[in-house]
Amino acid sequence: MAEKYTEEDEALSLEEFEDEEDDKLQDWDDWEDEEEDGSDSNFVCLFCDSRYSSSDALFDHCNSSHRFDFLHIKRSLGLDFYGCFKLINYVRSQVSQNRCWSCGLTFQSNQDLQNHLHETESLKDIQSHWDSDVYLKPLLQDDSLLYSFGDDEEAEDDYATAVEKEELMNDFRKFENISINNDIHGENFAVNFHSCDGNASKDVTTASIEFFNTGSSSGNITVNGMISSERGGLSEKMTNDKQLRTYIPKLVAKDIKIVNEDYFGSYSSFGIHREMISDKVRMDAYRNAILKNPSLLKSAVVMDVGCGTGVLSLFAAQAGASRVIAVEASEKMAAVATQIAKDNGLLRKKDPKNGTRHSNEVVEVVQSMVEDLDKCIHIQPHSVDILLSEWMGYCLLYESMLSSVLFARDQWLKPGGAILPDTATIFAAGFGKGCTSLPFWENVYGLDMSCVGKELVEDAAKIPIVDVVDDHDLVTRAAVLQTFDLMTMTQDEMDFTATVGLEPNLFSTAGNSNDLVSKTTWCYGVVLWFETSFTSRFCKEMPTILSTSPSNPKTHWSQTILTFQEPIAIASEKLSADRSAAVGTDACPASRIHLRISIARASQHRSIDISLETTGVGPDGRKHSWPVQLFNLR
């Protein structure tokens, strides 16, 4: 039976409703108070741990302390909401890896990075660095700055801005299965898909996870001591896989184009070319090889792949080449190289007056990628006498420009023609404590801050570091990791796996040469460097070697440092060891370190992946292996 609803009941209900609403309002006030209390530190600096109550205050700090003028960059480049969003995530991703957002240099600590930060000379040259959909994925969870960077300016069309933000949030849903792992690679897709159609899939299948075979049946991947697991059930996974199979090939193809534009655009900066031209080791090697081997260059047809300013092409012209085809993909630098050749009276004129051409006017600059050269200029196949290029990157193979040199070789080099340089070798050696930041932090004005140094060393085990190494900090003898003969190698040989043994370099003489005293030291990781040679095969008058070894004067390539997850004690075989202790410890130092290193072109175009497998071998033959480490050099 229904109960009778009286006026008293209505009044009581109204009173209870008002009390309930008062309670809700009180709760809302409390929530707002809490939000206001936390608002003072909502905005985290892009470069340090400072926090600010508004985006205006944060950007003022970034400008004054870190030379990052966000508003100037936004206005100069005309960045829209998406562009600003990507820029902020890009800068955060670079800083998380101690890498300069504008020039790309990597440092051992955030403090070193902050000391390095500088203003950017040409913003347009580096804009392509962050023009990738990868940076639509927020790097920090609940990053307030991403939704407040436009608050300082008047919005002429608030509705359009709101629509943009809503569309952006919808786009994020497509990225749910794309993980940006800054502890390992900075920006690296961790996606699960079965197959991709189209040419772009070829680049996807070179990803480090596939090349190094680190997958597991559990769906978890262990890399550098960290575990990444798949989320969601089977139904969700199948839906996401279907979306990703459609999305990823398009993204990869777009990414290759962006990276190419980024790569060639970065070489439009005069600062980079000044650094390379100022590298005396580099310049002396090429100049000697070209100018001091007259029998090689006399009347030769030369192709310079990636000519930059054209300095090597001009050397070839001075050495007596009859024709120099200088190929440069950067539109800006091709124009600069043309002007420099003209200013030095070496530019080949298209329509010489009176039908005559001076013998030294032999350089013609072609703006093109070498792979597209036949679309820009007609060159007979196999008609080039000498292929000239300075193609080397960090760790030799970074930037993957070697593939362009091999392409040019197969297309245009004459049978029996020459390549300068014609061989390349990668070396490896173990480094000690002096190559880390530990010594600095162990004594800071008499204070022990070694806990900071230890944390930095742990972080360094996750990313490769490009820096100058002192040869006194090497604790093993150098060993050859891999050798390339540019005359015969194939494109596939750029991806390789090699093993090498590192022997301690720990002996000191006491008394006489037969009385060797051994000591234990700690190996903290591996240093990689390279040499390229202009051998007597072609440079008969003066063979030349360009070496980036720690024992030689430093170059702009520096060396590439791969830090172990934990240091390994090493000593000579003459040292007695505790057979019950693990190999590589202080009680049982390793007498030899075996390395298995794989280097492969990464899924991100022009970057490389490095796999490091380390095994310590004791004096009694016992072994101890450490988990595989993956590094991405980009």
Side-chain angles (χ1 to χ4, degrees), residues 283-447:
M283 295 306 299
D284 284 352
Y286 275 91
R287 192 168 185 271
N288 289 338
I290 296 170
L291 293 179
K292 296 189 177 181
N293 288 283
S295 65
L296 177 63
L297 273 295
K298 184 67 174 177
S299 302
V301 176
V302 179
M303 179 181 289
D304 181 1
V305 179
C307 72
T309 60
V311 60
L312 303 185
S313 296
L314 303 188
F315 287 166
Q318 292 175 341
S322 61
R323 183 186 182 189
V324 181
I325 305 165
V327 185
E328 174 55 45
S330 166
E331 182 178 359
K332 177 179 178 180
M333 289 313 301
V336 170
T338 299
Q339 186 62 46
I340 292 174
K342 181 179 179 180
D343 292 344
N344 286 274
L346 298 174
L347 183 67
R348 185 185 181 96
K349 299 177 182 177
K350 294 182 178 180
D351 297 307
K353 295 180 180 179
N354 304 321
T356 61
R357 179 183 285 114
H358 295 291
S359 60
N360 58 341
E361 295 177 349
V362 298
V363 178
E364 52 186 309
V365 181
V366 184
Q367 193 266 306
S368 171
M369 291 180 59
V370 73
E371 291 82 359
D372 300 326
L373 186 59
D374 55 355
K375 300 177 183 177
C376 304
I377 186 174
H378 176 67
I379 305 174
Q380 287 289 342
H382 310 298
S383 61
V384 171
D385 297 300
I386 300 173
L387 197 59
L388 174 66
S389 181
E390 194 276 81
W391 52 268
M392 299 82 73
Y394 299 132
C395 197
L396 184 67
L397 297 174
Y398 173 69
E399 295 179 343
S400 300
M401 189 177 165
L402 176 56
S403 60
S404 297
V405 176
L406 299 181
F407 177 89
R409 177 200 66 186
D410 296 339
Q411 293 291 318
W412 293 294
L413 190 64
K414 283 182 178 179
I419 299 181
L420 300 181
D422 58 311
T423 67
T425 305
I426 300 178
F427 295 86
F431 66 84
K433 184 178 180 178
C435 192
T436 71
S437 60
L438 288 173
F440 173 84
W441 292 103
E442 286 176 346
N443 186 354
V444 181
Y445 296 100
L447 301 174

Side-chain angles (χ1 to χ4, degrees), residues 240-269:
N240 289 332
D241 281 357
K242 182 177 179 181
Q243 295 173 345
L244 286 169
R245 282 198 298 272
T246 303
Y247 183 72
I248 291 296
K250 296 179 181 179
L251 185 60
V252 172
K254 180 180 179 182
D255 187 58
I256 291 174
K257 180 180 179 183
I258 289 173
V259 171
N260 276 335
E261 292 173 352
D262 177 6
Y263 172 66
F264 294 120
S266 68
Y267 279 90
S268 298
S269 168

Side-chain angles (χ1 to χ4, degrees), residues 450-471:
S450 56
C451 60
V452 177
K454 291 176 182 177
E455 183 173 337
L456 291 173
V457 171
E458 291 175 0
D459 291 341
K462 301 168 186 174
I463 57 173
I465 297 173
V466 176
D467 204 352
V468 176
V469 175
D470 192 320
D471 65 327

Side-chain angles (χ1 to χ4, degrees), residues 113 123 220 273 326 507 622:
L113 171 63
L123 290 169
N220 295 336
H273 290 281
F507 301 107
R622 290 186 301 119

Side-chain angles (χ1 to χ4, degrees), residues 6 101 139 151 162 167 197 201 210 214 236 249 267 290 373 376 410 420 594-595:
T6 66
W101 73 277
L139 193 79
D151 291 349
E167 290 177 349
D197 296 328
S201 65
E210 296 189 21
T214 58
E236 177 186 359
Y267 279 90
I290 296 170
L373 186 59
C376 304
D410 296 339
L420 300 181
H594 281 290
L595 302 176

